[in-house]
Amino acid sequence: MADKCDLCLLGLIILSSLLTGTSGYDHVFISSGENVSLSCNKTLSDCKSTTWVYIDRRSGIVELITGGIKNNDTERHERLSLESDCSLNIKNVTVEDYGSYICRQYVNGEQGPDAYVLLHVLHVSVSPSSSSSSSSSSSQTEISPGRSVTLSCQLYSDTVFSCDDLVHSEGVELLWVNQAGVDLKTDSRYQILSSSSSDQDLCILTLTTTLLNEDDNREWRCQLTHRNQLKTSVRYTVKYSGEKTLFSDRFVKTST
């Protein structure tokens, strides 16, 4: 019962922090498919008194690590591991992993300072908007040359702020750029629109263009900057193959 009450109290503390802002969080930005390590305020010689908790407004509170031991009844347990410094490793990050993570440790029975991490996940999907094919987030999508194509850059962030607030309060920015790093908003052949989901967990920046003959091997990249520092990006390169166009995506991780 005490453990359940403690968990409830932890949830109230976390929800309160979400409602009052995210300034106490360590913001971590990663692209889907990458591996990430979330740091803990280690105050112990080992991690036997370490608990990692995941919380968001969709699934509530989930204990991932309890007393230094991984909980195997969670959906993501196979992708989790605990480092010797008590950091939480997540392999092959998915869009379902975004949200708030809290590391809690006890020293001689006394609770130490909690570490709060807000994980943001960047994901890109491609849709041949003028063909009969449906939207796809797979690594390769075939479309006919000359068709219009839309790339959707999606940032999953579990905060109480709107996308505009996230930009102004935290200095987060999404950009579609070319291979030289030039903002594609400056090129009239690209239509770039920003939007957000109704629950404010998703910021979207779409790029729509009609493919040209010279687009073979052309690279487009959605990049995320935080306070003017590049954190992560997703790169799409156009590959022409016969009468079809092949899009291939590769992730580019920039260390922080």
Side-chain angles (χ1 to χ4, degrees):
M1 180 64 69
D3 291 340
K4 291 184 179 180
C5 291
D6 186 62
L7 191 58
C8 292
L9 179 60
L10 177 61
L12 290 175
I13 293 172
I14 298 167
L15 288 175
S16 176
S17 66
L18 286 174
L19 292 174
T20 56
T22 61
S23 58
Y25 279 81
D26 177 21
H27 291 266
V28 176
F29 301 88
I30 196 71
S31 296
S32 59
E34 292 284 353
N35 302 331
V36 69
S37 180
L38 309 182
S39 298
C40 182
N41 293 330
K42 184 180 178 183
T43 57
L44 308 172
S45 57
D46 57 49
C47 300
K48 294 180 180 179
S49 296
T50 298
T51 294
W52 272 99
V53 173
Y54 170 75
I55 181 172
D56 73 352
R57 290 173 287 147
R58 300 160 297 149
S59 58
I61 304 169
V62 180
E63 279 201 31
L64 304 174
I65 306 288
T66 303
I69 300 175
K70 181 170 61 173
N71 294 327
N72 292 328
D73 58 348
T74 61
E75 293 182 359
R76 69 191 75 185
H77 76 274
E78 293 183 352
R79 298 188 290 113
L80 302 179
S81 62
L82 197 64
E83 287 293 311
S84 59
D85 64 354
C86 306
S87 296
L88 179 66
N89 287 336
I90 307 175
K91 293 182 179 180
N92 191 25
V93 170
T94 74
V95 296
E96 298 298 324
D97 293 324
Y98 80 95
S100 301
Y101 293 78
I102 293 85
C103 179
R104 170 166 288 185
Q105 294 181 315
Y106 293 86
V107 183
N108 297 324
E110 298 293 329
Q111 179 185 327
D114 291 343
Y116 297 86
V117 182
L118 189 59
L119 181 63
H120 309 259
V121 179
L122 187 69
H123 179 74
V124 169
S125 63
V126 57
S127 172
S129 56
S130 296
S131 71
S132 59
S133 302
S134 60
S135 297
S136 172
S137 58
S138 62
S139 60
Q140 295 182 339
T141 301
E142 291 185 354
I143 61 175
S144 299
R147 295 291 185 91
S148 176
V149 66
T150 296
L151 302 179
S152 178
C153 183
Q154 304 150 356
L155 176 63
Y156 291 80
S157 296
D158 188 13
T159 71
V160 297
F161 299 117
S162 67
C163 292
D164 287 340
D165 290 335
L166 194 61
V167 169
H168 292 107
S169 65
E170 294 297 335
V172 175
E173 185 176 19
L174 294 178
L175 288 175
W176 276 108
V177 300
N178 62 16
Q179 194 164 349
V182 177
D183 190 346
L184 292 179
K185 289 198 302 288
T186 62
D187 193 327
S188 60
R189 69 165 290 203
Y190 301 101
Q191 182 182 14
I192 297 178
L193 299 173
S194 60
S195 61
S196 61
S197 65
S198 58
D199 60 7
Q200 299 184 348
D201 282 355
L202 183 59
C203 302
I204 304 169
L205 188 69
T206 58
L207 177 151
T208 300
T209 191
T210 299
L211 295 171
L212 305 175
N213 291 334
E214 56 265 32
D215 284 333
D216 189 22
N217 290 317
R218 189 181 300 277
E219 176 185 298
W220 297 313
R221 186 169 69 251
C222 178
Q223 67 179 30
L224 183 151
T225 60
H226 182 220
R227 304 193 188 284
N228 297 319
Q229 292 187 344
L230 179 62
K231 294 298 182 179
T232 190
S233 65
V234 182
R235 179 173 59 201
Y236 268 79
T237 303
V238 183
K239 296 290 186 181
Y240 287 135
S241 177
E243 296 182 354
K244 292 184 177 180
T245 304
L246 183 66
F247 275 85
S248 63
D249 66 338
R250 289 177 292 174
F251 295 103
V252 181
K253 180 180 179 181
T254 302
S255 58
T256 58

